[in-house]
Each structure stands twice: as C-alpha cells, then as structure tokens.
Amino acid sequence: MDTDMTVSGGFNLLIDLATVPAELQQGITTIANNSLPHNISLYHDDDLQDVEFHWLLRFEKDLSLREGECSVMVDPLIDTGMDQKRLAIVVKYNRKIEAFRSLGRILGASRQIHGLDSEKIRSMLNYTETCCYENLAVMIDCSRGGVLKQSSVFTLMRHCALMGINMIQLYTEDTYEMEGETFFGYLRGGYTRQELISMDDYAFALGIELVPCIQTLGHLGQILQWPKYHVYRDTNEVLLGNWDETYNLIEKMITTISSPLRSKRIHIGLDEAGGVGEGRYRQIFGYEEPTRVFLNHLRRVQDICKKLGLQPMIWSDMLFTLANKNNSLAGYYDGGTPQLADTLPPDIDLVYWDYYHTASQSYASKIEQHRELGCANPWVATGAWTWNRFWCALPFTFATIQASCQASKRRDHGVKNMMITIWGDEGHECDMFSSLPAIYYFADHGYTLEDEIDLDRLKYCFEGVCGGRFEDWVYASKIDQVMDSDTPLTLKTHFAPNTSKYLLWEDPFLAHISPQYGHLDLETHYADVSQRLAKALEYKEDYPQNERLRMAYLVANVLSLKCHLHSRMTVAYQLGHRQELYEMTEGRLVDLQVAVDQLWKYHRSLWHKSNKPFGWEVVEMRYGGLRTRLMTMRDRILEYIEASESWQQQQQQQQLQAVVDPGSASVGSQDSLNGFLQRRDSLPDGEDPRPSIPEFEAVREPMYEYAGCNLLMDYARVSTPTRPG
C-alpha cells in the first residue's frame, strides 16, 4: 500500500443551516449526521467567531442555470485570504441533486487539504459542471434472496446523492407486501407499504426519484411456485397472457408498488420471458407467434399504467430475441433491427441493457436499432458486475461503463437517460456496497462530455463520500482476477469470471474443477491478495469503510489454503507418503476448516447488517455443505491412514509367519511391499484388500478445455459433478 497518502485529519466543513434553501435542509441535515469522516458541522447562529472550521459552505438556488448545471466558487466577498484552511464556498444549483453532488466534490477536495497549496485547492473549488442526462439512475436488486434493509437503502441513497445520482429503482419481483396476496413477499422480507413511503420520503429529501421496478411477465417463478398461483402460469416463470384474471392481478401489483411513491414512472420488467406463449397459453389458446403474444400482453399492461397515470418502461431484450428466435445474449446483441410481428405500442420507454461489451461501437449500433423500432429516446443500462460473485468485478465494470457512456454521450445519439444495474443473481452472495466505486465512476461519466473521467479526482471523492480507499476496493477484485489477461469467452461478448466463487464452492474432495486451474499457482496469488487486503484493513481511522474489504480478505485467505490442496494430497496418497498426507490433513486442512468458519460467520454478520434475514438460509446451506464435506474429507483420510497402517502391520505379520511356516502364507502376501504399491486397476473389482480413497484415484478431466480460469459458473455447476434426479 502507498505510504504517501493525504488525508483530511481534523478537517471541518461548516454549513450554516439557516442559510440553506428549505428544499435542501432535510437532506443536508441527514448527510451531516451520517457523514463517514464526521467532518460536516451544522451551525445555526450568525456569530462564527468561536467556531472552529476550515471551509464555510453556502447554497443558493439559481434558476438562471440550466437544468442539471451547477456552479461552485470561493466567494470573493468573504475571502479569508491565502490560508486554504479558512475558505468560504458558494454552491449555485438548479436541481437539488446537483447541490448534493457539489457537496460530494467538496468533501473530495477536502481529502487533499494537507497535500496541496492554497492555489491548487482554490482551483478545485471553482468550477461549473452540467449533467449530460436528464436522469442518472441506479437499479439495485432486492429479489435474489437479499432484500436490503431500509437502513441500507438510506445509506445507498446518501452515497448516490453525493455522487449526483437522481433516480433509484428497487428491483422487487415479489418482495413487496400486497393486501390479500399473502404469498407476495412470503418469508422473503417483502417491503411493507410504510417502508416504501419512508424510503420515498428519504429519497425526495436528497433530490432522488424513487421508481418502482417490478416484473409483469417473466421472472415470477418465486410467486408462481405456490399452488394458489398455478392458474396464472404460462410456464414456471412466465405469467399467462390473454387471460383477464392475470391482468387483474397485474393491476393490483402495479397499484400496490406505485401508490406509496411520488414518482409517476414505473419499470414493468418484461425481460427474459423465455417460453412465453409456449406453455399453458398454447394449450388453452393454440399456437400464436410469440412476438405477437408478447406485444399484446405489453399493450394490456400499458393500458393499466395509463389508467393509473403511470409512464412505463421495459427491458428491451424480448423484442430482439423473440424476433430472432434466439433466446440468448446472441439473440439480443447480434444481428440487425428485428422485424416485429406487430407494431410496438406508443409511449413505451425501452431500456437497452448491455453489460458485456467493451467497445463503444457495439452500444452505438444497438442504440440506433432501438430508435428504428420506434423508441425515440431509449434508456441505456450498464451494469456493475455484482452478480454470481462475492465482490464487484470493478476493472471489467469500468471498461463496460466507459464504452456504454462514450456511445451514449455522442451528439448523434443524444441518449437522455442512463442507468447502472446492480444484480444479485445466484443468492445475493456479493456485498452490494462493493459496487460503490462503479456507481461513482458511472456518475462522473454522467457529468462530463469527455470520453475519460478525472480518475484522480474520483479517488479523492470516493474517500470523502464513501469512506474507503478507491485503490484498495478495486484491488479486492483480484479475488476473481487470477490471470494476467482474462480472455473473452466469445468474440462478441465479454464476461468477468467469478473465480473465487467456483473455487470456494467446488467440492473439496472431488475437485472436479481443478483441471481448469491446475497449471496456475493460485496458492501464491491468494496469499498475496490476502496479505495486501489485511494491510488495507489496518487503515480504519483514515478509511473507515475499508472494513468492508474484510469479506474479500477472508475469501482470499480461504482460497490460499483450499487451492491445490486436493492435488497435493493426491500426490502424497499415490506415492504412499502417509506421513505427509497426515501432516497436510491435520495441518492445512484443519486450518482451512477454521478459515471457512471465519468466512461463514463474517458473511453472516455482514448479511444481517445489510439485508433482511430472509434469503440467508440459501447461502448458509452452501457453507454448511462445504463445512460438512471438509469434515468428511478429514475423517476419511484419517480413517484411511489408520486402516493402511493396520493393513501393513498385518502384511508384515503374515510375511514373518511365511518365513517360519511357508505353507501358512496367504495368496498374494509373499511380497507385501510390492503388493501395497501394485496398481489397483490391475486387480479385479472387489479383490483388492488394501484400504483406499477412490477420490484420490479418479482421473479429472477439464470441462472447458480452452477456457482455463476464465469461467463464470453457478453454484449447482461447481458444487458437485452429480446431477440430482
């Protein structure tokens, strides 16, 4: 870790609350009371003589500024001289959100107060910037097991306000309570109406629009699993279209989720509804072209939104995949503008989501295809790679954000709305707050027309707003970056591998993934990562939120012990080195069990700090499976060693007996040593009397021959090679 870090120890930013415009007062108070360095003070008196402060901050509403524009300057009327420790700063804004973003930038500048001269500090505090978009949105998943606590949502909102994010969408498939529908949010931690109202009030005070984001076609398997809702099924995941009762339910869903909120927008989902029209729909109504089924359903849901005075938006992928008859990413991203079986309903906002490309031209061409479909102003959604992993894949995320923003900011495209998504697929194992550097990177792109952002400024702003060291949070992504260059899995789309996940959940005794990484020195890689993150955790005073790095640190610590342990034990076993096998079992394997327990308990505490308790059982059962398999592995190895020693003693006794009485020796015992080392596969089944561990004898085969570690796999694939059923 660098040693020449500049921090703002003892810095105090003073805000005279009496001078703050009324629309900002609640938000400013909230941020001041929760600022991570605790260096924002509110003042209620005109007499500043006895108040210790460095910078005095004042806000002014200025409607002469364009929407999205703000201006920050050191006030020349009350300039305190060349001493940068006593400055008066004025923030002029049009929209509330830019006032809060300016506060975030000022907090970032304060991180350098002890490292720069006064003129440099002044230059950082005199600027004008304008948001490139009408809306910069964050969508966060609250449906894949983890439902954020209200306090976590509040924390996210404060961070987003200080970054300049003016919209948040909470993705809730069934995780909201609905009157008369007790299985909505059932044992899932669904949000109550009062929680939604409170979160909306909190967002409003910070200049953020809270928009409902639900599903009204696919991704509804959580609710359709219950017998009461089988009548609504087209397939296990997709609602039955063209049936009045379905639309009665949808209207109730939309009313329930939208009525507690101020916003008149709603995201109604409709993505990845594979098989629409092909299940019960086809049995009841006969075959109908799936695109037509989809568009007819969209019209009916749109009519509900109109009735309720709401402006709907949808994910756009089904318009492409259905027309291309290819329900995959290739069906969405490859090829030209689809020829729809029917016209797209008017006044539908399409959201083009793409998390996989690192070249801006990919986004540029797809934006134009959305316009050719009839959507004049498509939204563009990029993604922070939080799904199916333990820590956000930040370097790859930055690359995809930059490419999408570069395309969106081009004048000939003129995208008005951008979104970054934070998904929790595969059990919500990831610390969602590990995406904060990605959100800030995204936000900074939203406030410049340049292709590149000011990365140095971002680092200081991240420290001032989020309380962590940017470089350390990015480095934590090394738990999934084990190769010098992560090669794309395909030529058209790129993926961020989730190496740490599949290495952690891989069965330790079967090690069926090991041929993919056997050629790499992962023990050293993860030991280095663990050591570096342990160092980062020491800087709690200057970077209090570096504590969140503990998750990545513990994962790396486990993997430094787990990787290659099976292969080392296999070699010792096959060479007959029982003492070495015993030492690894009672040494490194026991250390691994301890490390897994530490990770499990910390992950559990982090979950319950951030999320409602429901959903943790899914992740905890994974830990339970790993812990049990490690216990079984240890027990069976020790049993084998004991049985092998006993068997060898018997052979030696038989050998001695054969010397005394040659006729008493059993068949095959004349040469006990050679008999012990003889290959088992040379003996007929059931005729080898020696103790054995078949798991150390089976030959492993690579599943993906040319991929190496560049893999993105789910728990079911990596936990066992055996398929249930």
Side-chain angles (χ1 to χ4, degrees):
M1 177 175 291
D2 298 340
T3 57
D4 57 342
M5 296 176 292
T6 57
V7 297
S8 56
F11 174 82
N12 189 31
L13 178 66
L14 184 66
I15 302 174
D16 185 353
L17 198 61
T19 68
V20 174
E23 64 178 355
L24 298 182
Q25 288 189 4
Q26 185 177 347
I28 292 293
T29 302
T30 295
I31 289 173
N33 291 340
N34 293 278
S35 62
L36 291 172
H38 304 292
N39 59 357
I40 301 177
S41 298
L42 299 180
Y43 191 66
H44 301 269
D45 197 305
D46 292 332
D47 184 8
L48 302 179
Q49 183 175 355
D50 298 324
V51 178
E52 290 293 330
F53 73 95
H54 292 88
W55 295 349
L56 175 64
L57 181 60
R58 190 171 78 246
F59 294 91
E60 294 180 7
K61 179 88 168 183
D62 187 348
L63 295 179
S64 68
L65 296 174
R66 291 174 295 168
E67 188 169 293
E69 183 181 8
C70 66
S71 173
V72 177
M73 66 190 76
V74 177
D75 193 337
L77 297 178
I78 51 174
D79 195 332
T80 55
M82 292 302 293
D83 182 4
Q84 75 272 18
K85 293 184 179 180
R86 300 278 290 185
L87 294 180
I89 305 165
V90 179
V91 173
K92 296 184 178 182
Y93 69 96
N94 184 308
R95 299 189 306 180
K96 288 163 61 175
I97 192 60
E98 276 73 43
F100 292 112
R101 174 173 166 83
S102 297
L103 175 55
R105 284 194 57 173
I106 292 167
L107 290 173
S110 75
R111 297 295 292 183
Q112 304 172 74
I113 190 172
H114 300 299
L116 298 174
D117 60 35
S118 59
E119 288 304 317
K120 180 63 175 178
I121 290 290
R122 288 168 181 272
S123 69
M124 296 175 62
L125 297 174
N126 285 276
Y127 69 88
T128 298
E129 69 175 2
T130 304
C131 187
C132 304
Y133 306 98
E134 293 179 4
N135 292 289
L136 274 176
V138 168
M139 187 233 76
I140 189 161
D141 192 342
C142 297
S143 291
R144 271 28 185 278
V147 177
L148 287 177
K149 284 183 173 180
Q150 182 172 271
S151 58
S152 296
V153 175
F154 290 167
T155 299
L156 177 67
M157 288 176 174
R158 292 194 301 271
H159 288 323
C160 285
L162 292 171
M163 297 176 192
I165 300 291
N166 70 328
M167 179 183 291
I168 289 179
Q169 299 186 9
L170 299 179
Y171 177 74
T172 51
E173 293 173 353
D174 67 313
T175 46
Y176 52 96
E177 294 184 2
M178 188 157 63
E179 185 177 357
E181 306 291 343
T182 54
F183 284 99
F184 267 77
Y186 178 63
L187 296 179
R188 296 255 288 149
Y191 289 121
T192 66
R193 178 179 178 83
Q194 186 54 52
E195 283 178 318
L196 292 170
I197 291 172
S198 297
M199 289 187 289
D200 187 60
D201 288 342
Y202 203 92
F204 181 75
L206 294 168
I208 295 173
E209 180 182 0
L210 185 61
V211 175
C213 182
I214 63 172
Q215 289 288 355
T216 55
L217 184 59
H219 283 295
L220 287 172
Q222 285 286 349
I223 196 66
L224 294 177
Q225 69 175 311
W226 303 113
K228 178 181 178 181
Y229 293 92
H230 286 180
V231 294
Y232 296 101
R233 283 182 178 176
D234 181 356
T235 70
N236 289 341
E237 291 286 334
V238 179
L239 284 174
L240 177 64
N242 198 30
W243 188 49
D244 289 345
E245 289 302 311
T246 295
Y247 300 100
N248 291 338
L249 176 65
I250 290 174
E251 181 171 349
K252 192 173 183 180
M253 292 162 59
I254 292 175
T255 301
T256 298
I257 195 66
S258 64
S259 59
L261 310 181
R262 292 173 173 82
S263 178
K264 292 304 178 182
R265 308 177 202 259
I266 184 169
H267 199 316
I268 56 175
L270 277 80
D271 61 310
E272 297 178 333
V276 60
E278 300 288 350
R280 289 182 63 239
Y281 186 100
R282 188 166 184 170
Q283 295 173 355
I284 297 170
F285 304 110
Y287 175 77
E288 189 172 351
E289 207 282 322
T291 306
R292 196 178 301 278
V293 176
F294 179 86
L295 291 171
N296 287 339
H297 178 78
L298 175 56
R299 288 190 189 89
R300 293 197 64 172
V301 179
Q302 183 191 30
D303 288 342
I304 294 171
C305 292
K306 284 184 177 179
K307 174 182 174 182
L308 298 174
L310 300 172
Q311 172 61 40
M313 65 180 75
I314 69 168
W315 308 110
S316 68
D317 55 293
M318 291 300 293
L319 298 171
F320 292 81
T321 59
L322 288 175
N324 293 331
K325 295 181 170 55
N326 184 349
N327 187 32
S328 69
L329 292 179
Y332 188 18
Y333 301 127
D334 299 348
T337 305
Q339 299 300 312
L340 301 181
D342 206 340
T343 57
L344 183 70
D347 301 323
I348 290 286
D349 290 335
L350 299 183
V351 182
Y352 156 48
W353 56 273
D354 189 340
Y355 323 135
Y356 305 96
H357 292 93
T358 56
S360 62
Q361 185 55 42
S362 300
Y363 298 90
S365 59
K366 189 60 65 175
I367 291 169
E368 290 309 306
Q369 289 175 18
H370 281 70
R371 290 204 168 98
E372 291 168 2
L373 278 177
C375 180
N377 294 302
W379 288 60
V380 176
T382 186
W385 275 71
T386 49
W387 58 95
N388 209 0
R389 63 190 65 244
F390 296 109
W391 189 264
C392 184
L394 290 168
F396 183 75
T397 295
F398 296 153
T400 57
I401 290 174
Q402 177 157 296
S404 63
C405 287
Q406 286 174 348
S408 300
K409 288 187 287 190
R410 282 174 47 179
R411 294 185 183 276
D412 53 340
H413 293 145
V415 171
K416 295 182 179 180
N417 302 288
M418 282 285 292
M419 179 190 303
I420 185 169
T421 59
I422 306 168
W423 295 107
D425 303 45
E426 261 282 292
H428 202 104
E429 294 167 323
C430 188
D431 178 3
M432 291 303 188
F433 284 91
S434 68
S435 66
L436 286 176
I439 299 174
Y440 220 142
Y441 186 90
F442 167 78
D444 273 11
H445 259 293
Y447 281 87
T448 178
L449 289 172
E450 301 296 326
D451 284 345
E452 304 281 347
I453 66 166
D454 186 335
L455 191 57
D456 288 335
R457 189 186 73 201
L458 169 61
K459 292 175 181 179
Y460 286 111
C461 286
F462 182 78
E463 293 175 12
V465 170
C466 301
R469 188 167 184 257
F470 186 87
E471 295 92 333
D472 295 333
W473 284 51
V474 175
Y475 182 83
S477 301
K478 286 282 188 181
I479 63 172
D480 289 323
Q481 287 181 294
V482 300
M483 299 166 64
D484 291 336
S485 177
D486 291 324
T487 308
L489 292 180
T490 72
L491 295 176
K492 293 185 178 297
T493 57
H494 297 214
F495 297 82
N498 61 344
T499 315
S500 63
K501 172 165 179 166
Y502 66 71
L503 290 176
L504 179 68
W505 299 135
E506 178 191 24
D507 186 277
F509 214 0
L510 299 181
H512 59 296
I513 313 295
S514 58
Q516 302 293 149
Y517 59 83
H519 61 291
L520 298 172
D521 182 5
L522 297 186
E523 292 164 325
T524 300
H525 172 80
Y526 282 110
D528 290 346
V529 173
S530 175
Q531 184 178 10
R532 166 75 182 268
L533 292 177
K535 185 83 171 171
L537 286 166
E538 295 176 1
Y539 292 90
K540 295 180 181 179
E541 182 175 351
D542 293 331
Y543 305 100
Q545 285 306 301
N546 263 20
E547 173 60 28
R548 296 200 90 100
L549 298 171
R550 191 168 300 279
M551 180 69 186
Y553 157 72
L554 291 172
V555 168
N557 186 47
V558 167
L559 296 182
S560 70
L561 296 167
K562 187 172 187 280
C563 291
H564 308 302
L565 176 59
H566 180 277
S567 63
R568 293 185 182 280
M569 287 183 157
T570 297
V571 171
Y573 168 82
Q574 292 181 350
L575 292 177
H577 296 168
R578 291 199 302 274
Q579 181 61 30
E580 182 182 353
L581 182 59
Y582 175 81
E583 290 173 357
M584 280 192 284
T585 302
E586 292 299 85
R588 182 164 161 179
L589 179 54
V590 171
D591 291 343
L592 174 58
Q593 289 179 292
V594 172
V596 167
D597 276 10
Q598 290 175 337
L599 172 60
W600 156 54
K601 291 175 181 178
Y602 177 78
H603 199 175
R604 181 178 63 189
S605 68
L606 181 65
W607 178 288
H608 289 290
K609 177 182 177 181
S610 303
N611 306 313
K612 297 186 179 185
F614 307 98
W616 171 246
E617 74 280 358
V618 174
V619 182
E620 189 153 63
M621 283 189 282
R622 295 174 183 177
Y623 280 110
L626 176 59
R627 296 176 74 240
T628 304
R629 289 295 289 162
L630 288 171
M631 286 189 283
T632 295
M633 186 177 182
R634 181 186 177 204
D635 290 346
R636 290 199 56 236
I637 293 173
L638 294 177
E639 289 168 1
Y640 157 78
I641 292 173
E642 182 180 0
S644 295
E645 292 174 349
S646 177
W647 183 86
Q648 191 170 22
Q649 290 173 2
Q650 292 174 5
Q651 295 303 299
Q652 291 171 348
Q653 291 174 358
Q654 290 178 2
Q655 203 171 34
L656 289 173
Q657 183 66 30
V659 173
V660 176
D661 182 5
S664 66
S666 61
V667 177
S669 65
Q670 288 82 358
D671 189 343
S672 64
L673 182 58
N674 290 338
F676 184 80
L677 295 176
Q678 184 182 13
R679 285 182 58 83
R680 300 179 190 282
D681 55 12
S682 68
L683 297 172
D685 290 344
E687 294 190 12
D688 189 350
R690 294 170 297 177
S692 66
I693 304 179
E695 292 92 336
F696 287 156
E697 296 176 0
V699 177
R700 270 63 175 179
E701 299 290 342
M703 293 188 295
Y704 306 97
E705 190 170 357
Y706 302 108
C709 279
N710 195 40
L711 298 168
L712 180 65
M713 295 190 286
D714 60 21
Y715 175 79
R717 174 70 280 170
V718 304
S719 58
T720 173
T722 301
R723 313 315 297 162

